[in-house]
């Protein structure tokens, strides 16, 4: 019978499409992944992947056994969650995932207070726009802007993020007043690249800044922020950036159609884990204190209002 360790490596390869990416996911070296795959193929007496110029392609056998392997994975992970979910010690590691921007601006400034309160809890912060799986234990707690649909996940609404068009004072003094009723004709915007072109913010700019010049395209919120601060153009940014950077001028109030809800998410099997609950409660408290700044930009002066 195949060992769970070998099936775990098989699933990582199937999901990532190559050995190196699977190794990064599993935090092992590539040689180990290749060796575990070879062991599994020998035990099953079948080839599981074909090597192609674009990566490893699963064979018909691999496609047939993958659902069964994922069922084994689900049960193994459930055992881990149930065991750690009953942990009554306020110590040990807790992994939190969120976007770079949110971790840098809305979590890290308060972590010294958390450390004083819970000195034996080791926080691991994983940043990025990919949603890590809480079901597969890729993280313990997630800060998400979309409510999860999985029935096994608990979601706690803690705030709303307003999205606002900003421009720097230097840009406005150089380029003059901004008018959205003319499609930002004569102005520049900082836009979105690659997958972020699907974001609602990108679609909003396509409609309301149709006559503007795109000065730069980015995939990072922190990149958009810096581009706006450097005076490259108008950018759609979270409202709280206006409170942090006085050189940015809000051109309109927060746009209701682009508002995002902030959810704290964790697996129901970890509901009684003391260290996970401590992290969730602390994040809810600190994000809640920022709720007003997250939702609304600084007040605009009349002369700077855009139409």
């Amino acid at each position: 019978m195949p060992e769970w360790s070998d099936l775990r490596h098989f699933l990582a390869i199937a999901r990532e499409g190559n050995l190196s990416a699977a190794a990064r996911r599993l935090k092992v070296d590539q040689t180990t992944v290749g060796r575990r795959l070879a062991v599994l193929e020998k035990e099953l007496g079948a080839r599981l992947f074909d090597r192609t110029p674009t990566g490893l392609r699963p064979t018909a056998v691999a496609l047939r056994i993958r659902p069964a392997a994922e069922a084994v994975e689900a049960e193994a992970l459930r055992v881990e969650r149930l065991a750690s979910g009953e942990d009554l010690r306020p110590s040990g590691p807790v992994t939190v995932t969120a976007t770079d921007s949110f971790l840098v601006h809305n979590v890290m400034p308060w972590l010294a207070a958390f450390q004083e309160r819970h000195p034996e809890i080791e926080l691991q912060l994983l940043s990025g726009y990919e949603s890590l799986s809480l079901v597969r234990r890729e993280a313990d707690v997630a800060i998400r802007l979309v409510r999860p649909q999985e029935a096994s996940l608990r979601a706690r609404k803690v705030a709303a993020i307003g999205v606002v068009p900003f421009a720097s004072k230097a840009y406005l003094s150089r380029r003059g007043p901004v008018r959205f009723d003319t499609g930002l004709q004569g102005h520049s915007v900082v836009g979105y690249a690659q997958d972020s072109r699907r974001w609602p913010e990108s679609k909003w700019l396509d409609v309301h800044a149709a006559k503007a010049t795109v000065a730069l395209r980015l995939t990072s919120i922190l990149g958009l922020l810096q581009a706006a601060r450097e005076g490259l153009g108008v950018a759609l940014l979270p409202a709280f950036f206006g409170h942090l950077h006085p050189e940015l001028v809000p051109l309109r109030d927060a746009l209701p159609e682009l508002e995002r809800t902030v959810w704290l998410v964790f697996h129901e099997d970890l509901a009684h884990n003391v260290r996970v609950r401590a992290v969730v409660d602390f994040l809810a408290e600190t994000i809640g204190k920022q709720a007003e700044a997250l939702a609304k930009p600084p007040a605009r002066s009349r002369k700077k209002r855009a139409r």
Side-chain angles (χ1 to χ4, degrees):
M1 179 176 291
E3 294 185 5
W4 159 233
S5 176
D6 296 334
L7 291 175
R8 181 168 170 260
H9 285 77
F10 160 72
L11 288 173
I13 299 168
R15 288 164 180 157
E16 298 297 334
N18 61 70
L19 296 181
S20 59
R24 288 194 296 272
R25 173 185 280 268
L26 296 172
K27 297 181 175 59
V28 298
D29 59 71
Q30 185 173 330
T31 303
T32 299
V33 178
R35 185 173 66 252
R36 301 315 304 176
L37 174 60
V39 169
L40 182 59
E41 288 181 327
K42 183 177 181 180
E43 288 180 346
L44 296 177
R47 189 176 72 256
L48 296 177
F49 295 95
D50 291 323
R51 286 172 170 76
T52 73
T54 57
L56 295 178
R57 184 176 62 191
T59 63
V61 173
L63 294 174
R64 284 199 300 272
I65 71 170
R66 179 170 176 174
E70 289 178 333
V72 173
E73 176 189 50
E75 289 306 308
L77 293 175
R78 178 164 171 75
V79 169
E80 290 181 19
R81 286 195 305 269
L82 289 173
S84 62
E86 297 301 323
D87 196 333
L88 302 179
R89 299 166 298 170
S91 62
V94 177
T95 302
V96 179
T97 178
T99 64
D100 282 349
S101 174
F102 205 91
L103 288 176
V104 168
H105 293 101
N106 305 103
V107 175
M108 291 184 68
W110 286 267
L111 289 188
F114 178 83
Q115 190 177 42
E116 289 184 8
R117 193 182 301 182
H118 301 287
E120 295 186 12
I121 295 179
E122 176 192 321
L123 278 179
Q124 301 179 40
L125 304 182
L126 303 182
S127 62
Y129 293 100
E130 266 187 48
S131 292
L132 299 182
S133 174
L134 301 184
V135 175
R136 294 201 297 266
R137 300 280 330 252
E138 293 175 348
D140 299 309
V141 181
I143 302 171
R144 291 183 178 168
L145 303 183
V146 177
R147 185 170 190 168
Q149 299 302 310
E150 297 94 331
S152 61
L153 299 183
R154 295 190 181 184
R156 183 173 174 181
K157 181 180 177 180
V158 290
I161 296 180
V163 177
V164 178
F166 284 99
S168 71
K169 293 176 181 177
Y171 173 87
L172 294 172
S173 65
R174 189 173 75 249
R175 301 289 292 272
V178 172
R179 294 189 55 156
F180 285 94
D181 58 356
T182 64
L184 259 64
Q185 188 170 15
H187 282 277
S188 299
V189 296
V190 182
Y192 300 81
Q194 298 180 353
D195 289 346
S196 59
R197 293 292 299 274
R198 299 196 298 265
W199 293 359
E201 291 85 347
S202 182
K203 295 176 181 178
W204 193 93
L205 282 179
D206 289 342
V207 173
H208 297 276
K211 296 184 179 179
T213 300
V214 179
L216 185 66
R217 292 191 183 277
L218 297 147
T219 59
S220 160
I221 295 296
L222 292 177
L224 289 168
L225 168 64
Q226 192 59 30
R229 294 180 65 197
E230 297 292 344
L232 293 177
V234 176
L236 287 174
L237 297 169
F240 64 86
F241 281 157
H243 298 277
L244 298 176
H245 303 286
E247 70 273 23
L248 293 178
V249 178
L251 304 175
R252 296 178 66 168
D253 294 330
L255 303 166
E257 64 269 38
L258 296 182
E259 183 180 273
R260 303 290 186 89
T261 302
V262 182
W263 300 91
L264 284 178
V265 187
F266 58 97
H267 200 282
E268 63 182 3
D269 290 344
L270 297 178
H272 302 295
N273 183 293
V274 171
R275 63 179 181 270
V276 171
R277 291 299 316 190
V279 172
V280 170
D281 291 343
F282 184 82
L283 290 173
E285 175 188 333
T286 55
I287 295 170
K289 289 177 181 177
Q290 303 169 64
E292 185 174 353
L294 283 166
K296 298 178 181 179
R300 296 178 295 147
S301 63
R302 289 185 176 275
K303 66 179 181 179
K304 291 174 182 173
R305 290 184 179 177
R307 297 181 182 179

